């Protein structure tokens, strides 16, 4: 039977190590065992559902929602005992049942979205802890109390009887010690051997020196017997209570068995989420392409170099070539291991944007598997593995072949490698192979659906960079590496001579292609950056044009409103004046009043005209400057109304921040910041957040204002350190940081709160949760501070 991933492939890709680390994250021995036996999912629906459940738990972790603590006891072996009628579990076993029911119920409530319809086992926990306390000891139940009281009464009588021997002058000299001893649970006296028979009773033991006899006096025998009988009664009562409790627990058996399976499933998912949080991973998106962005091998730790690797839907095979120790095999293992982790429901040590299909089989042939016991050479071992892979792989499989065609004659090995590739390509299997055969580089250029790739090599330092370069084959650089590793110069020179005699122009062609590819990449990056800059400048220009139009509309609306108010007030005054004229005779006083009204009307109209003309002139000046800036930008090829000649300095008029509020630069601040006056506010801002406006036709002198900012809030920081502060002091500092960051356009910063007892950490997260300006927050990656540092992202 062909298994999708055999134990050999799991071992080659070191997935068994990852699986063991996930198991270590489980808080249940039984769940850890299930994880160690679990295989990756090979059905796309199952793999997607598992990842979604792990992602839900990871979101709960990152939100600061406190998870249930405490380990889950192993109770799988106890369930068959409950099936036996009349069985009785001991206190430790019943205590384990109660703890599992109680803690499992807490986990079920915390993960109710993915727990499903599990039975409620809280009543079982209540039954158990009615008889046992939270430490697993028997409670002082009424049925035990009478027997315990009788034992205590008898013990006091026994203590009194024994104490008389130590207090009596006559018997005290016969004793080695006035304090009684215990032998087989009975009170005895340590009597000197030379007084044997003087104290009547039963001799239980003689000391190793023969000098001491341990005697149980006759009057004490009955009391010891009574205590022993009462203890037997107590033991019987305890056994009865445990047997009855076992019977009540057995009534829950069907529900408990289902609950047990469900809780272990949840714990296995929680362990995956806990591991994903430890590695600060991202979940791969599902798709037909295979794209790794910033992928790191999880077992290399800080030594891992992030790699990018891209196989689109039409590319079924990638042939990686390049120097030894250049990272070809590590890239191969990274791709295979991340594919297995993805189908195991784990987040990956890779950047967002990583895409992985769900494979129905993942096969690998990596490393030297020479076997003396089976008489297999390196080449034979490789062929045996590849034969099995060729038979099992299908259209939805992934095959990873390291050093294909090696270990034999290069010409024959290359031919076999091409034939193997032909067979697997015909089966439409996804292939990633590494090789040193030059003929396979040409194969990659001549076959549809096949792409060359290489591991980059720095010719100046003669060392690999471990980057994957898609689209270009690589050189082996064996001579350079041999020289770097100390091979004598004479041998190196001879090797180069042999190469010069027989080498074709392939290596030169490859170097030329790499250089062209590098130039194209640089130009493409510059073009993308320039396109983004021009698009942003065009957006800013459009925004300014929109504001000018809005200003025009506001002026027009203001004109109409002012005119209506002026007419209304004038009409009322005129009506009053006409009424006064009609009511009496014309007099000098009324004549003067009419003239005063007409003069006031003329002055008001003139003032309104002047104000309107002033507003229109200001608007015309703004539009003129805007159009002049647009014209200058067109001449320099820089749209958006920004003149390249305008440099920021004291007195420069700017549009500041995301909302482009108009302001003026006062002076240069600290750490490359500029102090900008916007209305009545003076705000420190970065130069890239300031859009300089071209000067007006009339040259304005720089406006320099000296301001005392000693009482102002400190500017927003990239990293805010709260360690050592009280909680209220730290939260006030964090509030001012958020306000300053919003004003300065700083949308991402970090808060260092330390770990300590967790008070400051929890207070910071609770505060961030209530802030409307905060879009997201999460703990930093381990190398940046882990749980002692929080990344904060503000809304834009």
């Amino acid at each position: 039977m062909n298994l999708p991933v055999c134990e050999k492939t799991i071992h080659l890709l070191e997935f068994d190590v990852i699986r063991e680390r996930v198991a270590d994250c489980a808080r249940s021995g039984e769940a850890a065992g299930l994880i160690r036996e679990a295989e990756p999912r090979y059905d796309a629906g199952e793999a997607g559902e598992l990842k979604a459940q792990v992602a839900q738990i990871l979101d709960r972790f990152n939100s600061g929602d406190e998870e249930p603590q405490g380990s889950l006891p192993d109770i799988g072996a106890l369930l068959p005992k409950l099936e036996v009628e009349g069985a009785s579990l001991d206190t430790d076993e019943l205590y384990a049942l109660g703890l599992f029911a109680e803690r499992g119920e807490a986990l079920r409530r915390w993960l109710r979205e993915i727990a499903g319809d599990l039975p409620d086992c809280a009543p079982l926990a209540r039954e158990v802890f009615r008889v046992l306390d939270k430490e697993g000891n028997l409670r002082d139940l009424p049925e035990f109390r009478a027997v315990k009281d009788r034992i205590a009464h008898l013990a006091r009588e026994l203590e009194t009887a024994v104490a008389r021997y130590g207090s009596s002058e006559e018997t005290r000299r016969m004793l080695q010690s006035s304090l009684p001893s215990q032998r087989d649970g009975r009170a005895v006296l340590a009597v000197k051997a030379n007084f044997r028979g003087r104290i009547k009773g039963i001799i239980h033991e003689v000391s190793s020196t023969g000098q001491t006899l341990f005697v149980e006096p006759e009057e004490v025998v009955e009391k010891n017997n009574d205590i022993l009988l009462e203890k037997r009664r107590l033991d019987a009562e305890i056994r009865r209570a445990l047997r009855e409790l076992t019977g009540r627990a057995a009534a829950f058996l069907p529900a408990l068995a289902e609950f047990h399976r469900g809780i272990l499933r949840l714990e296995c998912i929680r362990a995956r989420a806990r591991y994903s949080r430890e590695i600060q991973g991202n979940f791969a998106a599902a798709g037909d392409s295979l794209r790794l962005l910033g992928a790191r091998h999880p077992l290399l730790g800080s030594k891992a170099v992030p790699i990018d690797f891209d196989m689109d839907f039409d590319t079924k095979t990638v042939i990686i070539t390049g120097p030894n120790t250049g990272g070809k095999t590590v890239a191969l293992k990274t791709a295979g291991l991340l594919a297995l982790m993805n189908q195991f429901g784990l987040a990956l040590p890779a950047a967002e944007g990583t895409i992985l299909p769900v494979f129905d089989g993942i096969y690998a042939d990596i490393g030297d598997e020479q076997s003396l016991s089976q008489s297999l050479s390196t080449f034979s071992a490789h062929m045996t593995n590849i034969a099995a892979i060729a038979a099992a792989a299908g259209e939805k499989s992934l095959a990873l072949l390291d050093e294909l065609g090696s270990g034999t004659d290069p010409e024959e090995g290359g031919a076999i490698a091409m034939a193997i590739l032909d067979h697997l390509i015909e089966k439409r299997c996804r292939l990633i192979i590494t090789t040193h055969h030059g003929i396979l580089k040409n194969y990659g250029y001549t076959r549809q659906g096949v792409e060359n790739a290489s591991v980059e090599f720095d010719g100046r330092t003669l060392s690999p960079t471990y980057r994957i370069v898609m689209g270009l084959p690589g050189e082996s650089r064996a001579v350079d590496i041999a020289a770097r590793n100390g091979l004598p110069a004479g041998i190196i020179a001879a090797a180069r001579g042999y190469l010069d005699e027989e080498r074709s122009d392939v290596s030169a062609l490859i170097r030329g292609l790499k250089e062209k590819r590098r130039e194209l990449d640089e130009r493409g990056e510059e073009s993308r950056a320039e396109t983004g800059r021009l698009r942003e400048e065009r957006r800013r220009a459009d925004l300014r044009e929109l504001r000018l139009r809005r200003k025009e509309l506001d002026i027009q609306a203001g004109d109409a409103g002012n005119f209506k108010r002026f007419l209304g007030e004038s009409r009322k005054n005129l009506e009053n004046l006409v009424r006064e004229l009609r009511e009496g005779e014309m007099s000098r006083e009324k004549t003067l009043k009419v003239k005063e009204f007409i003069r006031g009307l003329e002055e008001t109209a003139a003032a309104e005209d002047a104000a309107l003309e002033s507003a229109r002139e200001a608007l015309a000046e703004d539009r003129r400057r805007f159009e002049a800036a647009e014209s200058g930008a067109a001449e320099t090829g820089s749209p958006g109304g920004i003149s390249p000649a305008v440099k920021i300095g004291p007195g420069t008029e700017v549009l500041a921040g995301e909302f482009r509020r108009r302001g003026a630069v006062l002076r240069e601040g600290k750490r490359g910041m500029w102090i900008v006056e916007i209305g009545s506010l003076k705000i420190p801002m970065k130069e890239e957040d300031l859009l300089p406006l071209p000067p007006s036709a009339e040259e304005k002198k720089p406006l320099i204002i000296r301001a005392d900012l000693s009482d102002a809030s400190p500017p927003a920081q990239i990293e805010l350190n709260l360690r050592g502060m009280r909680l209220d002091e730290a939260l006030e500092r964090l509030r001012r940081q958020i306000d300053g960051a919003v004003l300065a356009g700083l949308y991402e910063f970090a808060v260092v709160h330390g770990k300590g007892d967790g008070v400051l950490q929890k207070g910071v997260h609770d505060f961030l949760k209530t802030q409307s300006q905060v879009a997201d927050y999460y703990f930093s990656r381990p190398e940046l501070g882990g749980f002692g540092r929080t990344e904060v992202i503000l809304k834009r």
Side-chain angles (χ1 to χ4, degrees):
M1 180 178 67
N2 258 324
L3 294 176
V5 178
C6 63
E7 287 300 322
K8 187 175 186 180
T9 299
I10 286 178
H11 174 71
L12 287 174
L13 296 178
E14 298 179 280
F15 177 69
D16 50 347
V17 180
I18 299 296
R19 191 165 53 187
E20 184 64 32
R21 292 186 179 183
V22 176
D24 290 342
C25 292
R27 292 182 177 170
S28 161
E30 291 176 311
L34 291 176
I35 291 171
R36 293 185 183 99
E37 297 172 358
E39 297 286 349
R41 305 292 198 271
Y42 303 105
D43 177 81
E46 292 180 3
E49 181 182 4
L50 179 59
K51 284 203 301 182
Q53 292 172 340
V54 175
Q56 278 186 274
I57 299 180
L58 198 55
D59 288 341
R60 298 292 294 273
F61 287 154
N62 293 334
S63 69
D65 190 2
E66 187 174 354
E67 64 172 317
Q69 302 299 318
S71 60
L72 296 168
D74 299 340
I75 65 168
L78 303 181
L79 300 183
K81 292 183 180 181
L82 293 178
E83 296 177 357
V84 180
E85 187 175 354
S88 177
L89 302 181
D90 60 29
T91 53
D92 289 341
E93 292 171 331
L94 288 166
Y95 181 57
L97 284 180
L99 277 184
F100 187 91
E102 183 178 71
R103 293 175 179 174
E105 184 62 26
L107 181 60
R108 182 186 70 83
R109 289 195 301 270
W110 192 64
L111 299 178
R112 54 187 174 275
E113 297 88 353
I114 62 175
D117 191 17
L118 286 180
D120 182 7
C121 282
L124 171 61
R126 288 194 292 271
E127 286 286 348
V128 170
F129 291 116
R130 190 186 66 82
V131 177
L132 305 178
D133 62 21
K134 293 297 183 179
E135 302 300 323
N137 301 313
L138 280 167
R139 294 184 182 275
D140 188 19
L141 300 176
E143 50 264 42
F144 302 154
R145 200 167 297 134
V147 181
K148 287 182 178 180
D149 290 346
R150 173 67 176 159
I151 292 173
H153 176 70
L154 291 173
R156 286 193 297 271
E157 290 184 351
L158 176 63
E159 184 179 351
T160 301
V162 173
R164 283 199 295 269
Y165 289 92
S167 59
S168 169
E169 187 67 32
E170 181 182 356
T171 56
R172 186 169 57 239
R173 61 190 181 85
M174 303 178 188
L175 304 178
Q176 294 282 15
S177 171
S178 60
L179 298 176
S181 298
Q182 288 279 335
R183 289 296 183 271
D184 298 327
R186 303 176 74 88
V188 296
L189 299 173
V191 180
K192 296 176 181 178
N194 56 327
F195 289 102
R196 178 175 180 177
R198 300 288 295 274
I199 297 178
K200 302 297 183 183
I202 301 171
I203 299 175
H204 282 265
E205 190 177 319
V206 180
S207 68
S208 59
T209 62
Q211 298 300 312
T212 304
L213 308 176
F214 293 95
V215 178
E216 181 182 7
E218 290 179 347
E219 65 174 306
V220 174
V221 171
E222 281 302 315
K223 298 187 184 302
N224 273 329
N225 288 341
D226 290 343
I227 290 176
L228 186 62
L229 289 174
E230 291 300 324
K231 286 183 176 179
R232 295 291 183 271
R233 283 183 59 197
L234 179 60
D235 290 341
E237 284 295 323
I238 292 174
R239 287 195 298 274
R240 179 189 60 77
L242 295 180
R243 187 167 54 252
E244 291 177 356
L245 179 57
T246 302
R248 292 195 296 274
F252 290 90
L253 182 57
L256 180 60
E258 183 182 351
F259 183 77
H260 176 248
R261 289 191 297 271
I263 294 302
L264 292 186
R265 178 182 68 85
L266 293 179
E267 183 56 29
C268 289
I269 298 172
R270 182 166 67 162
R272 287 172 166 87
R274 197 173 287 117
Y275 175 78
S276 298
R277 179 177 62 177
E278 283 183 6
I279 66 171
Q280 296 285 304
N282 293 300
F283 288 98
D288 295 324
S289 301
L290 192 161
R291 177 180 301 154
L292 302 179
L293 299 178
R296 294 170 285 111
H297 195 291
L299 301 182
L300 294 181
S302 60
K303 297 179 181 178
V305 177
I307 62 170
D308 294 341
F309 187 85
D310 195 0
M311 291 178 71
D312 59 27
F313 176 72
D314 295 324
T315 303
K316 295 296 182 181
T317 302
V318 172
I319 300 173
I320 305 176
T321 51
N324 290 313
T325 71
K328 299 189 302 296
T329 302
V330 171
L332 204 66
K333 285 188 171 183
T334 301
L337 182 56
L338 265 57
L340 287 172
M341 291 173 64
N342 177 59
Q343 294 179 207
F344 201 63
L346 300 175
L348 308 180
E352 290 186 6
T354 293
I355 302 173
L356 279 172
V358 174
F359 299 104
D360 63 4
I362 300 174
Y363 307 94
D365 176 60
I366 299 175
D368 184 358
E369 297 192 19
Q370 179 173 301
S371 173
L372 296 178
S373 62
Q374 299 182 27
S375 300
L376 290 176
S377 66
T378 299
F379 179 73
S380 298
H382 279 304
M383 290 302 104
T384 301
N385 291 340
I386 292 174
I389 292 172
E395 183 178 351
K396 295 184 178 180
S397 302
L398 173 65
L400 310 168
L401 308 179
D402 190 30
E403 301 293 356
L404 182 62
S406 63
T408 188
D409 176 76
E411 186 175 351
E412 292 186 11
I416 292 173
M418 289 190 291
I420 291 170
L421 290 179
D422 287 342
H423 175 77
L424 292 174
I425 289 171
E426 185 178 348
K427 299 183 76 171
R428 297 187 60 77
C429 171
R430 278 196 184 268
L431 284 166
I432 306 176
I433 75 163
T434 67
T435 185
H436 283 287
H437 286 299
I439 194 172
L440 291 182
K441 302 173 187 177
N442 184 59
Y443 183 95
Y445 279 123
T446 58
R447 292 293 191 278
Q448 187 175 3
V450 181
E451 185 172 1
N452 279 310
S454 59
V455 286
E456 194 175 52
F457 189 84
D458 191 335
R460 293 169 300 176
T461 62
L462 299 181
S463 59
T465 65
Y466 303 104
R467 284 185 60 242
I468 301 294
V469 180
M470 302 299 296
L472 290 177
E475 297 179 89
S476 293
R477 306 299 292 258
V479 177
D480 292 332
I481 293 174
R484 184 168 175 261
N485 284 278
L487 200 63
I491 298 177
I492 296 299
R496 295 192 191 282
Y498 283 121
L499 283 175
D500 291 340
E501 292 175 6
E502 301 182 6
R503 170 159 47 192
S504 66
D505 294 332
V506 172
S507 293
L509 175 62
I510 290 174
R511 284 195 295 272
L513 286 172
K514 284 187 175 180
E515 189 61 32
K516 291 293 184 185
R517 174 65 176 264
R518 189 175 293 108
E519 290 177 5
L520 288 173
D521 287 345
E522 290 175 357
R523 291 180 182 178
E525 188 63 31
E526 291 174 359
S527 175
R528 284 190 291 273
E530 182 65 14
T531 300
R533 185 183 67 80
L534 294 177
R535 186 181 295 113
E536 177 63 17
E537 291 177 357
R538 181 72 262 173
R539 184 189 70 79
R540 292 173 180 174
D542 291 343
L543 182 60
R544 179 162 175 78
E545 172 67 15
L546 179 62
R547 287 174 177 164
L548 287 173
R549 292 177 184 172
R550 183 178 297 170
K551 192 172 181 180
E552 289 176 351
L553 292 175
D554 290 344
I555 291 175
Q556 292 172 3
D559 293 347
N562 291 338
F563 185 65
K564 287 181 180 179
R565 286 193 298 273
F566 175 66
L567 285 179
E569 292 173 359
S570 300
R571 182 182 294 111
K572 290 179 181 177
N573 292 335
L574 183 59
E575 288 174 352
N576 292 334
L577 189 58
V578 170
R579 186 169 54 253
E580 289 178 4
L581 292 174
R582 286 177 178 174
E583 289 177 352
E585 295 180 359
M586 180 66 71
S587 64
R588 175 179 174 77
E589 182 182 351
K590 291 182 180 180
T591 301
L592 291 175
K593 198 170 186 179
V594 171
K595 290 181 179 180
E596 181 67 26
F597 170 75
I598 293 173
R599 186 167 53 252
L601 191 63
E602 290 173 348
E603 290 175 356
T604 304
E608 290 292 336
D609 285 343
L612 180 58
E613 185 61 26
S614 176
R616 285 173 175 165
E617 286 177 1
L619 179 61
E621 174 64 13
D622 282 349
R623 179 168 292 282
R624 188 197 63 75
R625 292 169 63 189
F626 174 73
E627 290 173 351
E630 284 287 281
S631 175
E635 293 175 4
T636 59
S638 176
I642 304 173
S643 173
V646 178
K647 294 188 177 296
I648 294 179
T652 304
E653 291 191 7
V654 294
L655 298 178
E658 180 186 6
F659 299 105
R660 296 305 176 204
R661 298 173 63 186
R662 191 182 188 111
V665 175
L666 299 180
R667 61 182 176 84
E668 188 172 1
K670 298 179 180 178
R671 296 192 294 276
M673 307 287 277
W674 291 95
I675 306 302
V676 181
E677 183 179 38
I678 302 174
S680 61
L681 297 177
K682 298 177 181 64
I683 304 170
M685 303 192 76
K686 295 180 179 178
E687 183 167 339
E688 56 263 31
D689 294 330
L690 301 177
L691 182 63
L693 294 174
S696 60
E698 296 180 6
E699 187 66 22
K700 294 183 179 179
K701 294 183 179 180
L703 177 63
I704 302 176
I705 300 176
R706 299 189 179 277
D708 182 10
L709 300 178
S710 58
D711 295 331
S713 298
Q717 303 174 30
I718 297 298
E719 183 178 87
L720 177 64
N721 193 341
L722 302 180
R723 289 179 296 185
M725 298 185 185
R726 299 189 308 276
L727 180 59
D728 54 348
E729 180 186 0
L731 295 184
E732 174 60 22
R733 184 66 188 87
L734 179 56
R735 182 191 65 75
R736 291 160 61 195
Q737 165 77 4
I738 293 174
D739 292 344
V742 171
L743 291 174
L746 178 64
Y747 297 105
E748 294 184 21
F749 60 89
V751 180
V752 179
H753 43 64
K755 299 176 183 177
D757 55 8
V759 173
L760 192 56
Q761 178 195 80
K762 185 176 187 301
V764 167
H765 279 216
D766 289 344
F767 179 83
L768 292 174
K769 193 185 301 182
T770 64
Q771 299 303 298
S772 59
Q773 305 100 313
V774 176
D776 195 10
Y777 61 92
Y778 50 87
F779 289 120
S780 298
R781 294 170 56 180
E783 60 267 25
L784 297 178
F787 299 119
R789 187 174 184 268
T790 295
E791 305 286 345
V792 181
I793 299 176
L794 302 182
K795 295 178 180 176
R796 293 181 180 270

